[in-house]
Amino acid sequence: MASEDISQLVDALAKTQVCGGELSFKGRALKLDTAEAAAEIIEEIEGFESLQALRLEGNTIGVEAAKAIARSLSNKKELQKCYWSDMFTGRLRSEIPLALVSLGNALMNAGAQLTLLDLSDNAFGPDGVRSIETLLKSKVCYTLQELRLNNCGMGIGGGQILAAALGECHRLSSALGKPMALKVFVAGRNRLENEGAIALAEAFKSIGTLEEVQMTQNGINHPGIRALAKAFTENQHLRIINLNDNTFTEKGAVAMAETLKTLHHIEVINFGDCLVRSEGALAIAEAVKSGLQNLKELNLSFGEIQRDAAISVAESVEQKSLLERLDLNGNCLGEEGCEQLKEVMESFNKQDVLSALSDDESDGDDDDEEEEDDDDDDEDLVDEEEDEEAEEGGGEDDDEEQEQEKASLVDQLIVEEPVKTLPIAPTSEAAVFLASPSPDKLIKLGSKRALLILQQTDLSNEEKVVQTFLKVATAYRDDQETKTAVLDTTDELLQKAFNTPGFQLDVFVTTLLVYMGLLKSEEKIKVVANLIGPLTILKQVIQKSYFPRSVIPILSAFLKKQNRAFDSCVNAKFTLLETMENL
């Protein structure tokens, strides 16, 4: 063999990795638009005997290329693992479902029996879930053990479709005497919210074989958390529960703590940035102390936990011989409380497992409990109003005095300073929306929603305007009614703000970039989890005559930078950039 041929062979082997039934094109950054462009992959697949795993992640595959690859998979009956994450970067959202349908049909035609399906980091939204619905219900997935759909922008609707498909798959496979035994479910950063989480909880109850659940950063509040807690009791082999960056409050945390008492194989609990607060932390500490001998990691960081409750958590892990990490950073211990916590961990020789306490957020005095109790009352108020809407269609309290007191409490919760431009309206509906934004709540505000939200926003405060803009923008959905409501409200907000005397445009832009996760802040800022809504709305408002053209080059520069914040919204980013270039 000529040295040139040998060199070409070595180069090919270096690019395409073959190992024990696995064919990998991972991270090749291939842009495959046509069947011809995918010829190399197709040839490799067709020539691979007993293909068991195919890695296509880190490439971008168009509709025609997907159809061609699908044809090469149509006889690969032995295929078990599809690593197909990050596979559609730069593709139109309308293209992705067509590509997924082709690939799914190929697996069904081949009679494959999957054990792993990873479609993470593909921004396909609800339509993408619909495109894999038939596949998930089919015999191909009766053997599924791992399903990874992290950062796919599914939304509530996608989560509900997914839940129904999983439930149907389990029902059909059970009828054949071999129920689907799903072990790993990953669906973080998907805007599932309560409705999506509740739907998935029902599916989890039926499945009963889960060992790992990761649903981080999904906007789930206590109703969704309680539903998941109930479902977890039916999955007695759970080892890993990661619900980081959702909003438990005490109600969700206490419910989850009761569930933890029934689970005997738990190794990892990640409830960081979940606002479990002191009451929730104490309940979790009790659950840990009474069992959980396999516990390796406990994360209750950034939960507004006071000193005494944090120390109770530390004391609860004394007998956990396998513990590798305890994270209580970002809570409210104070300097003295941090030292006490370290002393407790040192007393049973576990100081090395305690994470740094560098972001502690208060002086830790128990006198702060009074303020915390006020917050609890406010949270309970919002929760009660949400429950009433769900159970009674949003009926109003006849006691005018009590209603005014509630409105006052919510207004205090949302508005830290008096509104300078408009008087506060007597209703608290807009404040409830701003406390927990959702499309339904925005629609329910009616035709005067823009006015009501403006009344809750200090238009002379650039940060308040940014926060309100993003809360409204994240309620964006594809249906026309919601689109119009979001656009009209943000349009009115920005127009009024930009015309407010003394409003500093540069501060507004900088703050917007920080809250969108595009610019680092020295302070701890909770950035927007998914930028599809904000980017889509920005595309519209930048075209308005009131929007300063001087801002556009700044926004464009940050949009062009590499940033993981864009992983779930690549199409929205490119559309916004294209609009900017045409202005």
Side-chain angles (χ1 to χ4, degrees):
M1 182 179 289
S3 60
E4 183 178 343
D5 294 334
I6 293 174
S7 178
Q8 291 176 350
L9 178 60
V10 170
D11 185 54
L13 288 172
K15 291 179 178 178
T16 305
Q17 299 175 6
V18 179
C19 180
E22 177 180 296
L23 180 61
S24 176
F25 298 90
K26 180 180 179 180
R28 294 272 300 275
L30 300 172
K31 189 173 187 298
L32 309 177
D33 296 324
T34 64
E36 291 75 17
E40 177 191 352
I41 287 181
I42 292 167
E43 184 179 354
E44 293 279 356
I45 292 173
E46 289 178 342
F48 198 108
E49 297 293 332
S50 300
L51 178 63
Q52 296 176 20
L54 178 62
R55 307 194 77 114
L56 294 175
E57 65 264 55
N59 300 288
T60 176
I61 299 174
V63 175
E64 295 305 316
K67 289 179 179 178
I69 293 172
R71 286 192 290 271
S72 71
L73 291 172
S74 60
N75 64 347
K76 299 299 179 181
K77 186 176 182 179
E78 296 89 354
L79 186 61
Q80 298 176 9
K81 299 180 179 181
C82 295
Y83 298 93
W84 293 351
S85 63
D86 190 18
M87 208 167 66
F88 299 109
T89 299
R91 299 293 169 185
L92 295 175
R93 189 165 175 174
S94 59
E95 290 183 272
I96 301 175
L98 298 174
L100 289 174
V101 167
S102 296
L103 293 168
N105 287 341
L107 296 175
M108 289 186 283
N109 291 335
Q113 293 186 314
L114 293 185
T115 59
L116 181 149
L117 178 61
D118 186 355
L119 290 170
S120 299
D121 300 317
N122 291 312
F124 48 55
D127 291 340
V129 184
R130 289 189 189 94
S131 69
I132 61 172
E133 182 180 7
T134 302
L135 173 66
L136 290 173
K137 293 178 181 179
S138 74
K139 293 181 179 179
V140 174
C141 291
Y142 287 4
T143 51
L144 196 62
Q145 296 179 18
E146 294 188 36
L147 179 59
R148 299 179 180 272
L149 296 169
N150 203 56
N151 192 29
C152 291
M154 289 190 288
I156 293 171
Q160 291 171 332
I161 295 168
L162 174 63
L166 291 175
E168 183 69 359
C169 181
H170 185 266
R171 186 186 69 80
L172 294 172
S173 58
S174 297
L176 296 177
K178 294 183 178 180
M180 176 184 66
L182 189 67
K183 294 180 180 179
V184 177
F185 179 84
V186 180
R189 297 184 66 186
N190 271 294
R191 309 193 322 271
L192 295 171
E193 301 183 20
N194 288 332
E195 295 93 330
I198 290 169
L200 284 164
E202 287 301 310
F204 295 165
K205 282 182 186 178
S206 301
I207 292 168
T209 53
L210 289 167
E211 297 179 11
E212 176 180 344
V213 175
Q214 300 201 44
M215 296 173 66
T216 62
Q217 213 173 80
N218 269 301
I220 306 171
N221 299 326
H222 78 82
I225 297 299
R226 287 190 294 189
L228 289 171
K230 290 179 182 178
F232 291 164
T233 62
E234 303 297 326
N235 291 265
Q236 286 294 303
H237 295 286
L238 268 169
R239 296 181 299 103
I240 298 172
I241 303 176
N242 184 356
L243 298 175
N244 188 286
D245 201 4
N246 290 289
T247 308
F248 282 41
T249 68
E250 294 86 335
K251 292 182 179 180
V254 170
M256 194 61 72
E258 289 302 308
T259 290
L260 290 174
K261 293 178 182 178
T262 71
L263 302 175
H264 306 297
H265 300 282
I266 289 292
E267 298 176 6
V268 175
I269 300 170
N270 188 338
F271 299 157
D273 206 7
C274 285
L275 205 66
V276 299
R277 292 181 171 158
S278 295
E279 183 181 340
L282 288 170
I284 292 169
E286 181 185 349
V288 170
K289 190 170 186 177
S290 63
L292 307 188
Q293 295 304 317
N294 294 332
L295 189 65
K296 295 180 180 178
E297 179 180 332
L298 175 60
N299 185 344
L300 296 178
S301 60
F302 298 98
E304 292 191 2
I305 301 170
Q306 300 289 322
R307 178 185 59 204
D308 291 348
I311 290 174
S312 294
V313 172
E315 291 172 343
S316 73
V317 303
E318 179 178 1
Q319 302 300 323
K320 310 308 167 190
S321 60
L322 301 179
L323 190 71
E324 299 172 358
R325 181 171 179 248
L326 172 64
D327 193 346
L328 288 167
N329 191 30
N331 284 298
C332 308
L333 282 66
E335 184 176 348
E336 182 180 344
C338 289
E339 290 303 316
Q340 289 179 348
L341 184 64
K342 292 174 184 177
E343 290 173 4
V344 168
M345 296 299 289
E346 288 174 0
S347 69
F348 39 80
N349 199 30
K350 279 186 166 54
Q351 64 272 19
D352 292 340
V353 306
L354 181 64
S355 295
L357 300 171
S358 55
D359 295 316
D360 191 66
E361 295 190 341
S362 90
D363 60 10
D365 289 340
D366 289 336
D367 293 342
D368 293 341
E369 291 290 348
E370 182 177 351
E371 180 180 347
E372 182 182 342
D373 290 342
D374 290 341
D375 291 343
D376 293 344
D377 293 340
D378 297 343
E379 183 65 41
D380 290 342
L381 168 59
V382 175
D383 294 339
E384 288 167 8
E385 291 185 355
E386 288 177 352
D387 291 342
E388 287 173 4
E389 288 177 6
E391 296 173 10
E392 304 173 8
E396 296 182 355
D397 193 336
D398 293 332
D399 189 336
E400 182 177 353
E401 182 179 349
Q402 185 178 358
E403 189 64 29
Q404 288 177 348
E405 183 181 351
K406 288 183 178 181
S408 176
L409 283 171
V410 177
D411 292 339
Q412 291 170 24
L413 174 64
I414 305 303
V415 184
E416 296 177 1
E417 299 176 2
V419 176
K420 299 177 182 177
T421 55
L422 292 168
I424 295 293
T427 179
S428 65
E429 290 180 354
V432 173
F433 164 78
L434 291 171
S436 180
S438 74
D440 289 341
K441 290 177 188 174
L442 184 64
I443 296 300
K444 285 178 182 178
L445 290 176
S447 60
K448 295 184 178 180
R449 63 180 65 87
L451 175 62
L452 295 174
I453 288 175
L454 282 169
Q455 290 173 336
Q456 296 291 331
T457 307
D458 182 352
L459 296 180
S460 66
N461 185 317
E462 294 82 3
E463 184 174 16
K464 298 296 184 186
V465 173
V466 166
Q467 290 173 339
T468 298
F469 171 77
L470 291 174
K471 286 177 180 180
V472 177
T474 52
Y476 175 86
R477 294 293 182 270
D478 287 332
D479 65 280
Q480 192 57 49
E481 185 180 17
T482 306
K483 281 183 183 178
T484 302
V486 171
L487 182 57
D488 288 350
T489 305
T490 52
D491 192 31
E492 186 74 12
L493 170 71
L494 294 185
Q495 188 170 3
K496 285 284 197 304
F498 291 168
N499 290 322
T500 298
F503 190 85
Q504 299 182 54
L505 191 60
D506 56 340
V507 175
F508 169 82
V509 174
T510 302
T511 307
L512 179 65
L513 292 170
V514 167
Y515 275 91
M516 290 176 69
L518 308 183
L519 183 64
K520 289 184 178 179
S521 171
E522 294 181 0
E523 301 177 0
K524 178 178 170 56
I525 297 293
K526 189 168 184 178
V527 301
V528 176
N530 191 300
L531 294 178
I532 289 178
L535 294 177
T536 303
I537 296 305
L538 278 173
K539 172 182 174 290
Q540 300 296 327
V541 298
I542 64 170
Q543 301 178 61
K544 303 289 185 177
S545 59
Y546 67 79
F547 197 93
R549 292 293 183 265
S550 60
V551 170
I552 292 177
I554 301 172
L555 293 175
S556 178
F558 280 90
L559 287 169
K560 290 176 180 177
K561 289 184 177 181
Q562 293 291 330
N563 195 311
R564 287 198 62 82
F566 296 131
D567 287 353
S568 62
C569 53
V570 174
N571 294 332
K573 181 187 82 168
F574 284 129
T575 303
L576 175 55
L577 281 170
E578 184 179 8
T579 302
M580 288 177 169
E581 291 170 1
N582 292 331
L583 289 175

